[in-house]
Amino acid sequence: MAEASVPILMYHSVATAPNDATRALSVAPEAFAEQLALIGDLGLIPVTTAELAASWRSGSPLPRRPVLITFDDGYEGVHRHALPVLAKHGFAATLFVSTGWIRGAYDTGGGLDAMLDWNQVRELAGAGCEIGGHSHTHPQLDQLDDDRLREELVRCREIVTDELGARPASFAYPYGYSSRRVRTAVRTAGFAQALAVGNGLARRRQGPFALHRVTVRRGTDAEEFTRLLEGRAIVRNFAKDRALTKGYAVLRRARQVRRKASRSRV
């Protein structure tokens, strides 16, 4: 029997006029509405990240054709444009917030475009959207030392807990970057599951701290979106992304080796 696979959609901004920093990973509101209508037409049932992970841990049943709708960072358009469409269809979703990018008392000024405030995050949570962590300042976590890594994770968890009155269970790695050390730190910080990118379907054997997602971009048309949902031609769609990721991974490992060598000489 083939292993069950689930499409986890990774969105960022939903915006009519995104800035240059977010344009490639933004989706027009009209396209987002069309994509959610396609999910309904194809008979897929959205679940949250926590629900998927809990099911795969316990063996409890999922809908026959589950799908996850996830948003990273915390852009204001998730409240303005995405929430009404999610509510119209009665769809679940997960929002992963970088707490230092959300407007309010903890804002570090690093947000790339118009960001949510905490009242809007609470409204999303009240509408049934799971709120997960995405670090505090959105760094490349695998490039941090142990103390800074722990600070990014714990600070994020504590702020979400304080603002929403509920501890976040799910996490998404900024930029999709992780390592065994980062995954261990995320688990130690109190998160029960975490999402990477990978641009592939999620499978139970990936483990709860490395579940794959597929990227939805501004150029994702209805035909490609349908292929993502059905798991068709994903490798071909993201072939260029995979090549770039592999090349960058080599550079990142080299940087880590140089930093370790530098620290050992101090």
Side-chain angles (χ1 to χ4, degrees), residues 49 57 96 132-136 139-142 144 146 148-157 167-174 176-196 208-211:
T49 303
R57 281 192 179 91
F96 295 102
H134 197 45
S135 79
H136 185 55
Q140 298 177 20
L141 295 176
D142 59 340
L144 304 182
D146 290 346
R148 282 201 59 208
L149 173 59
R150 182 180 183 279
E151 181 182 354
E152 282 285 337
L153 300 175
V154 172
R155 182 81 169 130
C156 174
R157 186 203 71 208
R167 187 167 175 163
S170 305
F171 189 84
Y173 305 108
Y177 300 144
S178 71
S179 63
R180 181 176 298 179
R181 180 178 68 96
V182 170
R183 293 189 289 273
T184 298
V186 169
R187 182 172 61 248
T188 302
F191 294 96
Q193 53 272 331
L195 302 184
F209 289 90
L211 295 174

Side-chain angles (χ1 to χ4, degrees), residues 1 4 29 34 42-43 53 59 61 67 75 80 84 112 124 139 149 158 170-171 178 182 193 199 213 221 255 260:
M1 182 176 176
E34 180 182 17
L42 291 170
V67 62
Y75 296 100
R80 180 189 299 270
L112 299 180
L124 283 155
L149 173 59
E158 290 177 344
S170 305
F171 189 84
S178 71
V182 170
Q193 53 272 331
N199 283 317
R213 294 188 284 178
D221 60 21
R255 290 173 187 168
K260 288 179 180 178

Side-chain angles (χ1 to χ4, degrees), residues 5 11 16 18 21 99 101 106 142 153 166 171 192 201 218 230 256:
S5 58
Y11 289 95
T16 301
T99 49
W101 287 14
Y106 318 102
D142 59 340
L153 300 175
F171 189 84
L201 297 181
R218 202 162 191 85
E230 296 179 344
Q256 287 177 310

Side-chain angles (χ1 to χ4, degrees), residues 205-225:
R205 61 182 164 82
Q206 292 162 358
F209 289 90
L211 295 174
H212 289 187
R213 294 188 284 178
V214 291
T215 308
V216 184
R217 297 180 270 214
R218 202 162 191 85
T220 302
D221 60 21
E223 181 180 353
E224 181 182 349
F225 186 77

Side-chain angles (χ1 to χ4, degrees), residues 1 3 31 39 84 97 101 156 197-198 204 221 225 240 250 266:
M1 182 176 176
E3 182 185 20
I39 289 174
V97 293
W101 287 14
C156 174
V197 180
R204 186 175 182 176
D221 60 21
F225 186 77
K240 182 177 180 181
V250 173
V266 175

Side-chain angles (χ1 to χ4, degrees), residues 62-116:
L62 286 167
R64 189 176 66 86
R65 298 189 66 193
V67 62
L68 274 67
I69 302 167
T70 70
F71 302 91
D72 282 7
D73 301 345
Y75 296 100
E76 193 270 342
V78 176
H79 182 274
R80 180 189 299 270
H81 300 298
L83 178 57
V85 185
L86 291 165
K88 173 184 174 182
H89 292 279
F91 285 170
T94 304
L95 167 67
F96 295 102
V97 293
S98 292
T99 49
W101 287 14
I102 302 301
R103 288 183 290 131
Y106 318 102
D107 189 354
T108 63
L112 299 180
D113 205 341
M115 308 304 293
L116 296 163

